Amino acid sequence: MNIFIHFLDKELLEIYASRKYSEDIIRKVTFSIKVALLLLKKDECIYIPASNYFESDLAQIVLEKFRNIVDLGFIKLVSSSNTLERFVKKKRIVYSSLYTKEQIMEKEEEILDKNVPGIWTPREASATADIITNWQNSIDSSEWSNLYKISNYRKITSFEKDVATVPKNLGNRAFVVNHVLPELKINPNNEEDAKEIINKVISRFYIDSFLKEFKAVCYKNFFLIPQANNILPEYFEHIDYSSLCRRLTTISYEGNSLYTYIDMCDNYKLMLLRQKEVLYDALDYKSDTKIISMHMEEIKMKTFIVHGHDGEAKLALKNYIQNTLRMEEPVILSERASGGLTIIEKFEKYSEDCNIIFVLLTPDDLYTEDGKSRARQNVILEMGYFLGKLGRKSGRVILLYKGNLELPNDISGLVYINIDNGIEAAGEEIRREIANI
């Protein structure tokens, strides 16, 4: 379980935290790195973007406290540049519009004069490329609805067109909010709100890029930016930092709580704690599984949407699966080529390797006996097919319904999720069902 430190990012700190850091804040952030070091097992590491160290005063102050254990290789500063010199050269290009030539030269000298307090680690992937891909995939999603509301656009199509051209217009410049905002027509009175919305989107895509490459998790419920939980990509078992800290205060160690001991110890004593695996021995993993998962895996699933005539619900569900849950594009039979196949052959082909099914039960056919409606018969047929294939108790067939609908009552034990108020409103129930698979 590698750990990715996201809370030292300059852009995030400017939005969610104070720019002045008291000694107490510095001590608590330092404590969080100590705990992360204790949570690592063999061959696991802490990953921190190299840019954080050079752009964030808090990152510099905190990471310098671990300089004397750099050679142990636990802390890795990650960059798409192979060397520090290339890193500096790249920053000269991507931040050229934000700083004067003199400021950049001064920063270059400062950076090159330092030996970084971590192992320089080149990335295989590119955070910028991943951000651009996710950005383009999110254009027509609900991701941008709040930004559109505070913009000066009269038509959503014009807004989406400008959002789509942002990556091209940025060119070699950094994909940061101060570069993105001028590319969009935003009401000047709403610039601060717009910055927060844009930064949330970019940060989520940015963090997702690192987590996938390094198979890492983050701290959630972190005291410095607790309101930023919604930027953490889902389907990673992130460490509940506040719960973990509370747990540490209840464990005794050498006359103090384990929390106090870790807070007061130097790096030498910290490494002794690592060697003794004190934290692992102290935590009861049967009762603390919600705090930290020792077998984190990103959930990879292929989804299929069974639907009737409600096109709006179908597209809302598709957008939710792709852009909120960050899963692959779901299979929608009507969007796939037939290739000369019959309907049933086409259905069998595209559903073969799908392992999570969303069934949209919508009132398409009027059932006159009591005024209720029924879902289309093809929907009921396909639902039965998947229940037989995947198993009723598997939890992999998720039923969503809306309106005054007659629901099948001869299949016991199935959970129906109401979407009368929209897919987003039912999101927590949907996520809970998927998490239990």
Side-chain angles (χ1 to χ4, degrees):
M1 179 195 60
N2 297 311
I3 296 176
F4 179 72
I5 302 299
H6 70 291
F7 49 81
L8 294 177
D9 181 82
K10 177 177 177 287
E11 302 284 331
L12 282 182
L13 291 171
E14 286 183 351
I15 286 184
Y16 293 114
S18 169
R19 297 190 186 187
K20 295 182 179 179
Y21 308 109
S22 64
E23 286 298 321
D24 187 55
I25 291 293
I26 293 170
R27 182 178 61 79
K28 287 180 177 178
V29 174
T30 303
F31 176 85
S32 72
I33 303 296
K34 288 182 175 182
V35 171
L37 286 165
L38 293 175
L39 289 172
L40 300 177
K41 299 198 81 172
K42 184 179 180 182
D43 299 327
E44 294 173 345
C45 301
I46 295 172
Y47 290 96
I48 304 171
S51 56
N52 288 184
Y53 176 70
F54 297 110
E55 296 169 8
S56 163
D57 291 339
L58 180 62
Q60 287 189 22
I61 294 169
V62 170
L63 294 179
E64 283 297 328
K65 295 180 182 296
F66 299 94
R67 180 175 286 278
N68 64 344
I69 56 170
V70 167
D71 57 316
L72 299 181
F74 293 122
I75 298 176
K76 295 185 180 292
L77 295 183
V78 188
S79 170
S80 57
S81 303
N82 289 329
T83 64
L84 184 57
E85 288 74 15
R86 289 187 180 182
F87 171 82
V88 169
K89 185 177 181 181
K90 183 178 179 181
K91 293 299 176 186
R92 187 188 308 159
I93 297 171
V94 299
Y95 287 106
S96 58
S97 62
L98 299 182
Y99 302 99
T100 65
K101 183 177 179 181
E102 290 73 21
Q103 287 175 318
I104 291 174
M105 290 179 65
E106 181 182 349
K107 195 69 175 177
E108 284 181 8
E109 292 178 4
E110 178 186 336
I111 292 172
L112 291 173
D113 283 343
K114 287 189 174 184
N115 291 314
V116 294
I119 303 298
W120 191 269
T121 307
R123 291 197 61 185
E124 293 182 6
S126 163
T128 301
D130 289 340
I131 291 171
I132 290 173
T133 298
N134 283 315
W135 182 280
Q136 292 170 334
N137 289 338
S138 72
I139 300 302
D140 60 351
S141 75
S142 59
E143 194 92 59
W144 298 108
S145 59
N146 289 332
L147 186 62
Y148 174 67
K149 291 174 184 176
I150 60 174
S151 72
N152 288 333
Y153 292 90
R154 293 185 177 181
K155 294 183 178 180
I156 185 68
T157 51
S158 300
F159 170 74
E160 291 179 345
K161 182 179 179 181
D162 279 2
V163 171
T165 59
V166 164
K168 181 179 178 181
N169 293 342
L170 290 184
N172 290 326
R173 290 179 294 158
F175 214 118
V176 295
V177 66
N178 287 335
H179 286 157
V180 172
L181 189 64
E183 300 296 327
L184 302 172
K185 299 172 185 176
I186 303 298
N187 187 319
N189 295 326
N190 297 322
E191 280 196 1
E192 290 305 312
D193 290 336
K195 283 183 177 182
E196 182 173 350
I197 294 169
I198 294 169
N199 200 19
K200 280 182 179 179
V201 174
I202 295 174
S203 296
R204 188 185 309 118
F205 297 159
Y206 179 75
I207 294 169
D208 182 71
S209 174
F210 284 90
L211 299 192
K212 285 181 176 177
E213 179 172 351
F214 297 111
K215 296 182 173 56
V217 296
C218 296
Y219 282 146
K220 65 180 180 180
N221 298 325
F222 189 69
F223 76 96
L224 192 61
I225 49 173
Q227 65 274 56
N229 277 351
N230 58 0
I231 68 169
L232 298 179
E234 300 194 26
Y235 300 116
F236 294 86
E237 287 288 343
H238 299 298
I239 300 166
D240 189 334
Y241 184 74
S242 62
S243 295
L244 179 56
C245 287
R246 287 195 297 270
R247 183 80 174 89
L248 293 177
T249 63
T250 68
I251 300 169
S252 296
Y253 188 78
E254 294 195 2
N256 290 297
S257 70
L258 189 52
Y259 183 101
T260 301
Y261 184 87
I262 295 170
D263 184 36
M264 296 174 61
C265 74
D266 58 22
N267 289 338
Y268 173 75
K269 290 182 178 178
L270 188 70
M271 291 303 101
L272 288 179
L273 277 181
R274 265 194 57 79
Q275 188 176 8
K276 295 176 182 179
E277 296 189 340
V278 170
L279 198 57
Y280 286 97
D281 291 340
L283 290 175
D284 177 1
Y285 289 108
K286 289 183 180 179
S287 61
D288 295 326
T289 51
K290 291 184 179 179
I291 296 176
I292 175 171
S293 170
M294 300 310 298
H295 302 287
M296 183 282 298
E297 290 184 2
E298 181 186 3
I299 296 177
K300 295 180 180 179
M301 294 184 174
K302 187 169 183 181
T303 60
F304 189 105
I305 296 178
V306 175
H307 65 91
H309 286 171
D310 194 328
E312 184 178 343
K314 176 187 68 178
L315 292 178
L317 179 58
K318 178 183 177 181
N319 282 332
Y320 184 78
I321 292 169
Q322 283 184 260
N323 300 312
T324 299
L325 298 182
R326 305 291 171 198
M327 300 170 80
E328 293 182 5
E329 180 182 359
V331 173
I332 297 177
L333 206 59
S334 59
E335 297 180 354
R336 301 301 170 103
S338 297
L341 299 174
T342 65
I343 292 294
I344 190 65
E345 288 171 337
K346 180 181 177 183
F347 174 75
E348 289 174 339
K349 174 184 176 181
Y350 287 110
S351 67
E352 184 177 4
D353 56 350
C354 293
N355 51 19
I356 182 165
I357 314 302
F358 294 91
V359 180
L360 278 172
L361 297 161
T362 54
D364 298 321
D365 294 339
L366 182 63
Y367 181 46
T368 57
E369 285 189 15
D370 58 1
K372 286 188 175 183
S373 297
R374 283 177 172 172
R376 296 288 295 171
Q377 292 304 295
N378 73 288
V379 173
I380 301 300
L381 175 64
E382 291 173 22
M383 178 182 74
Y385 172 87
F386 284 117
L387 286 171
K389 178 181 178 181
L390 299 175
R392 175 177 60 83
K393 295 182 179 180
S394 68
R396 293 181 178 272
V397 182
I398 298 173
L399 309 181
L400 313 174
Y401 77 96
K402 67 184 292 188
N404 187 23
L405 191 70
E406 181 188 63
L407 299 173
N409 59 10
D410 56 348
I411 310 174
S412 62
L414 291 182
V415 175
Y416 294 90
I417 298 175
N418 184 281
I419 57 168
D420 283 346
N421 295 322
I423 297 295
E424 292 281 351
E428 185 58 36
E429 289 184 80
I430 294 172
R431 284 194 292 269
R432 187 163 56 243
E433 292 301 315
I434 294 174
N436 286 330
I437 292 175

